[in-house]
Amino acid sequence: MSQDVLLRAVDLTRRIAGRTLLDHVALELDAGMRLGLVGPTGSGKSLLLRSLAMLEPIDSGQLFWRNAVVSSDQATGYRSQVVYVHQRAAGFEGSVESILQQPFQLKVHRGHSFDRGWIIEQLATVSREARFLDQPHEQLSGGESQIVALLRAIQLSPSVLLLDEPTSALDRQSARHVESIVMRWYEEKPDARAFIWVSHDPSQADRVCDSLITMDAGQIQRLQQHTS
Amino acid sequence: MAPYIELTNWQVALAALLIVINGVVSVVLRLRLEKTLAIASVRTVVQLALVGAVLSWVFRVDRWYVVIAIAAVMTLVAGLSAADRSKRKFPGIRLIAITSVWACAWMLTGYVLLFVFRDLPKWYEPQYAIPLLGMVLGNTLNGISVGLSTLTETLVRSRGQVETLIALGATRWEAAGEPIREAVRTGMIPIVNSMMVVGVVSLPGMMTGQVISGMDPVQAVRYQIVIMFLIAGATALGTVSVVLLSVRRLFDANHRFKFEIIRNADAK
């Protein structure tokens, strides 16, 4: 495994109304790592993940991307490399194809363009045909819109994915599809990519992750390595 | 043209009798509006009497600093009420509303006083400056508060979409693009609508007043056209300003949507 540290969080702390939700959390994500994040509800998993994506304010602590502090003018560039995927995909108006094209209108992705052929290949692996692209986004099932959300992120070739219980609201079949899409993205460059996967399901964590962090009461309790 | 008829207090009292109609409606239908009606009637009389007294005084004193001071108070009140009409509040909302009202109303009223009415004996001529500013404030206030409410409402409702775009690397302007457009559009619709029907469905109050006071209708119409465009321009400018300043306030330098600072005024 490569020793490149992609993402490092130091001393992340967040308090709301006297309660400490993140308690001096330190975390390192090396290139190649497939990190599972587990713990009881309310232990701060989601908050930690959102903080890593700079979607939450933090009271103290710092985020390093490839050993450099992420400054304000790099925030959008950082998020284009470290993409957070919501637990439930937000509903947008428009066809699936127009939703997938959305990120290419952003300044940070200028220079990249939508690759319809690649999307169709990806859809084929989860038993969806090309005409799936013409469906209105608001008519998709939960599983389908999660697949669209993942493909929308992965087509940008991010280095890190932050997956916030991406399958918790899905049936088994869709959950497997989501897993397979993430794993294929990872396997393309296993020594340059990494993800953090928040999961409630121990067997899923076993399947997709090679190390596991347990959180409780805003603190990281332990880190275990799998030997699978 | 005949000059206007002077109204005595007795004649005004005869008109005030008409409020009895509202009272009767309220009693018969048990609307329980009697008390509110009484308060509203008294406020109408007292507030307008005060304005009349203040205006006569300002016209008599006729000093630039008095006009500016009165205009400042009017602007401040307009800005505050624009902010207070929004259901969702955030820290700094009043300052943003006041700044926007102030900038757009003063710039455009100034333009009209200096360039359109360029033969005015004095640049601050209170007879023109104060009514003009008053009309601009009253109308931009609407656009600004509608723009503000629409922006916060749309941002809160589409938080998921906004955050998804941010998570994909959008800047705050990109992420809030749709809410911004929605807010500015909604803020500008009322004035555009009234430009569509002016003179057909409604006779504007100012024009009516000028015709009653003996002005040639052709002249009154010209004044009204000036006013309509002044209001339209000020509304557009004020709405854009309040929406952009609010977006700057509601997102941080890292382009994070500060959802947590928006408070719902109704939920206590």
Side-chain angles (χ1 to χ4, degrees), chain A residues 50 54-57 72 75-76 79 84 86 90-92 106-109 152, chain B residues 159-161 163-171 174 253-257 260:
Chain A
R50 290 173 54 83
M54 300 174 80
L55 294 172
E56 289 285 333
S72 291
T76 58
R79 290 198 193 95
Y84 171 87
H86 286 79
F92 284 94
L106 306 179
K107 207 162 69 192
V108 73
H109 299 298
R152 181 175 53 198
Chain B
R159 182 189 178 190
Q161 283 104 309
E163 262 199 356
T164 300
L165 290 172
I166 292 172
L168 291 165
T171 65
E174 290 170 328
N254 294 327
H255 306 276
R256 187 181 66 78
F257 177 27
E260 69 278 0

Side-chain angles (χ1 to χ4, degrees), chain B:
Chain B
M1 280 286 157
Y4 65 95
I5 305 168
E6 297 227 352
L7 286 184
T8 64
N9 283 339
W10 284 112
Q11 288 168 299
V12 175
L14 283 178
L17 275 179
L18 298 175
I19 194 68
V20 171
I21 298 174
N22 301 53
V24 169
V25 170
S26 175
V27 170
V28 171
L29 298 181
R30 291 190 216 138
L31 303 180
R32 295 192 193 165
L33 284 174
E34 299 85 3
K35 200 176 154 196
T36 319
L37 273 172
I39 295 174
S41 309
V42 173
R43 281 187 68 152
T44 303
V45 174
V46 172
Q47 285 166 197
L48 288 178
L50 275 176
V51 168
V54 170
L55 283 184
S56 320
W57 175 72
V58 172
F59 287 2
R60 210 169 49 241
V61 177
D62 199 14
R63 291 278 187 280
W64 66 267
Y65 48 85
V66 174
V67 175
I68 293 284
I70 292 287
V73 172
M74 287 162 66
T75 313
L76 215 58
V77 173
L80 286 177
S81 26
D84 289 349
R85 278 192 203 172
S86 172
K87 197 180 84 183
R88 298 184 191 276
K89 313 248 194 283
F90 52 88
I93 187 173
R94 288 181 150 181
L95 186 63
I96 285 173
I98 291 170
T99 313
S100 304
V101 173
W102 208 300
C104 75
W106 285 46
M107 263 165 36
L108 294 204
T109 309
Y111 166 79
V112 168
L113 286 176
L114 296 180
F115 297 105
V116 180
F117 293 158
R118 67 186 130 195
D119 297 330
L120 290 183
K122 296 177 296 264
W123 62 267
Y124 61 87
E125 196 65 65
Q127 183 196 340
Y128 292 85
I130 291 179
L132 225 52
L133 184 69
M135 297 201 54
V136 170
L137 289 175
N139 286 278
T140 48
L141 163 65
N142 256 323
I144 284 179
S145 65
V146 169
L148 202 51
S149 305
T150 312
L151 179 76
T152 48
E153 205 57 48
T154 318
L155 277 177
V156 168
R157 202 168 15 122
S158 54
R159 182 189 178 190
Q161 283 104 309
V162 171
E163 262 199 356
T164 300
L165 290 172
I166 292 172
L168 291 165
T171 65
R172 48 188 165 179
W173 306 111
E174 290 170 328
E178 202 38 57
I180 289 174
R181 277 187 290 276
E182 183 68 24
V184 174
R185 195 182 301 125
T186 318
M188 280 171 43
I189 283 173
I191 179 64
V192 175
N193 282 346
S194 59
M195 289 174 79
M196 286 288 184
V197 299
V198 66
V200 183
V201 178
S202 66
L203 275 185
M206 185 190 76
M207 202 180 107
T208 315
Q210 285 174 317
V211 171
I212 288 178
S213 68
M215 188 188 261
D216 176 3
V218 175
Q219 273 300 318
V221 162
R222 287 197 184 147
Y223 268 82
Q224 190 59 43
I225 292 174
V226 169
I227 279 286
M228 290 305 277
F229 284 112
L230 169 57
I231 289 173
T235 304
L237 200 64
T239 310
V240 168
S241 151
V242 83
V243 166
L244 295 187
L245 288 176
S246 302
V247 168
R248 255 193 54 196
R249 182 79 189 82
L250 290 170
F251 288 76
D252 70 12
N254 294 327
H255 306 276
R256 187 181 66 78
F257 177 27
K258 296 193 280 183
F259 180 77
E260 69 278 0
I261 66 171
I262 301 183
R263 296 263 175 275
N264 191 335
D266 293 347
K268 289 252 164 81

Side-chain angles (χ1 to χ4, degrees), chain A residues 39-225:
Chain A
T41 309
S43 56
K45 305 183 301 285
S46 201
L47 193 67
L48 173 59
L49 215 58
R50 290 173 54 83
S51 306
L52 294 178
M54 300 174 80
L55 294 172
E56 289 285 333
I58 46 173
D59 294 317
S60 64
Q62 264 181 322
L63 268 185
F64 295 85
W65 173 244
R66 298 187 191 276
N67 294 315
V69 177
V70 185
S71 64
S72 291
D73 55 333
Q74 295 163 333
T76 58
Y78 169 79
R79 290 198 193 95
S80 74
Q81 283 300 302
V82 181
V83 178
Y84 171 87
V85 179
H86 286 79
Q87 185 170 3
R88 275 167 210 268
F92 284 94
E93 272 177 36
S95 68
V96 168
E97 182 160 358
S98 71
I99 304 305
L100 288 168
Q101 285 173 339
Q102 240 172 16
F104 297 105
Q105 288 157 17
L106 306 179
K107 207 162 69 192
V108 73
H109 299 298
R110 202 170 282 162
H112 299 88
S113 53
F114 179 63
D115 185 350
R116 198 167 190 272
W118 181 85
I119 293 284
I120 290 174
E121 277 170 38
Q122 294 288 316
L123 287 175
T125 67
V126 293
S127 353
R128 294 290 187 289
E129 293 168 44
R131 58 162 197 244
F132 178 70
L133 290 176
D134 301 325
Q135 280 197 29
H137 188 253
E138 57 269 34
Q139 285 178 15
L140 301 187
S141 70
E144 287 171 326
S145 48
Q146 196 60 284
I147 287 171
V148 171
L150 260 180
L151 290 178
R152 181 175 53 198
I154 287 176
Q155 64 180 346
L156 307 169
S157 312
S159 305
V160 172
L161 281 182
L162 303 173
L163 304 158
D164 193 357
E165 300 195 38
T167 62
S168 65
L170 308 188
D171 61 81
R172 221 177 135 111
Q173 171 85 33
S174 310
R176 286 304 177 99
H177 282 159
V178 165
E179 288 174 16
S180 71
I181 290 174
V182 174
M183 292 319 280
R184 217 168 316 109
W185 159 81
Y186 172 81
E187 296 297 347
E188 263 176 43
K189 288 183 184 171
D191 52 357
R193 291 181 173 169
F195 62 76
I196 304 180
W197 190 312
V198 174
S199 184
H200 265 316
D201 172 6
S203 67
Q204 179 180 56
D206 272 349
R207 250 190 334 266
V208 297
C209 303
D210 50 27
S211 41
L212 211 57
I213 282 181
T214 308
M215 268 193 97
D216 195 19
Q219 289 179 317
I220 288 182
Q221 295 299 334
R222 61 175 189 279
L223 173 73
Q224 358 170 181
Q225 304 278 338

